Amino acid sequence: MDSEMNSSARPGLVEGARGIAGTLTAALYGTMTPHPWLAPDADTDAYSAFHTCSRMMGWLHDDQERPSLWGMNDADAPTRTSGSEPNSEPVAWFQVEAQRVARDQPLPAQPVLQCATAAMTRLGALELDAVQMLLPVQVLDTADAPGPLLSPSLRTAHWFADSDPTLRTPVQVTLDSGQSPAIPAVSDVLASIEQPAFAVSSYENGHTPITPWFDDSFWNGPPQHAVVFTGTLAEWSPSAIGWLAGLTADLYARHRLTTPLLMTVQRGQA
């Protein structure tokens, strides 16, 4: 898709980057078929498509005086070698510098994921099987609002209440706090909150099913403390997955988790 893509690239902090409060990544797993009308040497690649979408939606501004939801960092669409196992590596990953988030706003996981999938559909036909996101819960301001029902994501949960019931999708959601043992202590909260986006059937301690695309030193890895939720998502879309990521990040921040949270959502795993 892009002759200048570096297949050895990995998510990581950009040296000298400004104002990083936390790094948010989104890796897309599945299959990708490039559009036949795009030339192999086309100027558009994963990074430029994501950057353009971010600016078009008003979520990213090059002018430092104008507030942005995030700052661009890196993106790549690795070239799979023949014989690669499905989902052994992402078809693309995206990384942004998350800014501090006001207490009445969710982590911008939903718009990041929407831009990521929109960018890839400009390049080809994307069949999405799984999403893995690193959520920097430490950027959320929840110090004076510990109550989980105060999560700003819950104010928009009704968006999914009228979703087409035929779109409901079995999923497996895995949350992993790496070396921090804090995550099992708040699993009951996510399972008990009534909201129409994600209906939890069961949950138990488990393991992260997809090896993170980045090095353990990039977060609080390796994956060690995971809870696996099975249930149904209102729809298999970046909107629903991203909304759930925002809610999850907020709930764990309210329980004083101060290290990044790894979230993996797989379709058809319930």
Side-chain angles (χ1 to χ4, degrees), residues 45 50 53 106 108 117 127 157 176-177 186 188 232 234 244 247 252 255:
D45 59 10
F50 184 92
C53 182
T117 53
E127 183 69 23
D176 199 313
S177 54
V186 291
D188 291 343
T232 54
L244 179 60
L247 173 66
Y252 284 93
H255 282 79

Side-chain angles (χ1 to χ4, degrees), residues 7-242:
S7 61
S8 64
R10 293 291 188 275
L13 298 179
V14 172
E15 185 176 355
R18 298 180 296 103
I20 298 175
T23 303
L24 194 160
T25 71
L28 311 180
Y29 291 82
T31 58
M32 179 75 179
T33 305
H35 291 313
W37 58 85
L38 289 181
D41 58 349
D43 291 336
T44 301
D45 59 10
Y47 182 98
S48 64
F50 184 92
H51 184 270
T52 300
C53 182
S54 300
R55 293 190 63 188
M56 179 176 66
M57 298 302 293
W59 294 327
L60 173 68
H61 304 290
D62 291 337
D63 183 354
Q64 298 182 16
E65 300 301 319
R66 301 175 66 187
S68 297
L69 283 185
W70 59 73
M72 281 301 296
N73 196 314
D74 205 357
D76 194 20
T79 301
R80 251 199 208 120
T81 59
S82 60
S84 295
E85 291 294 325
N87 292 340
S88 62
E89 62 184 39
V91 296
W93 56 259
F94 302 84
Q95 175 181 300
V96 301
E97 301 168 13
Q99 309 301 315
R100 292 289 177 188
V101 178
R103 68 185 61 190
D104 63 342
Q105 297 294 320
L107 186 74
Q110 187 182 56
V112 164
L113 192 54
Q114 289 178 318
C115 273
T117 53
M120 295 310 294
T121 55
R122 302 302 293 178
L123 301 175
L126 174 65
E127 183 69 23
L128 189 64
D129 294 330
V131 171
Q132 189 173 74
M133 302 188 77
L134 186 65
L135 307 174
V137 299
Q138 69 273 16
V139 309
L140 295 168
D141 180 10
T142 60
D144 298 326
L149 295 182
L150 298 177
S151 171
S153 293
L154 293 176
R155 300 172 189 165
T156 57
H158 60 279
W159 175 261
F160 301 99
D162 298 322
S163 295
D164 184 345
T166 65
L167 298 179
R168 296 194 67 82
T169 304
V171 294
Q172 177 177 288
V173 178
T174 304
L175 304 174
D176 199 313
S177 54
Q179 297 183 51
S180 171
I183 190 168
V186 291
S187 300
D188 291 343
V189 177
L190 179 59
S192 63
I193 288 181
E194 293 187 8
Q195 39 76 26
F198 178 50
V200 177
S201 300
S202 63
Y203 62 99
E204 60 184 1
N205 293 339
H207 66 279
T208 291
I210 298 176
T211 301
W213 184 243
F214 38 81
D215 188 80
D216 290 339
S217 61
F218 185 59
W219 63 304
N220 194 35
Q224 289 184 349
H225 295 91
V227 176
V228 181
F229 296 82
T230 58
T232 54
L233 201 61
E235 59 191 39
W236 182 249
S237 69
S239 177
I241 299 170

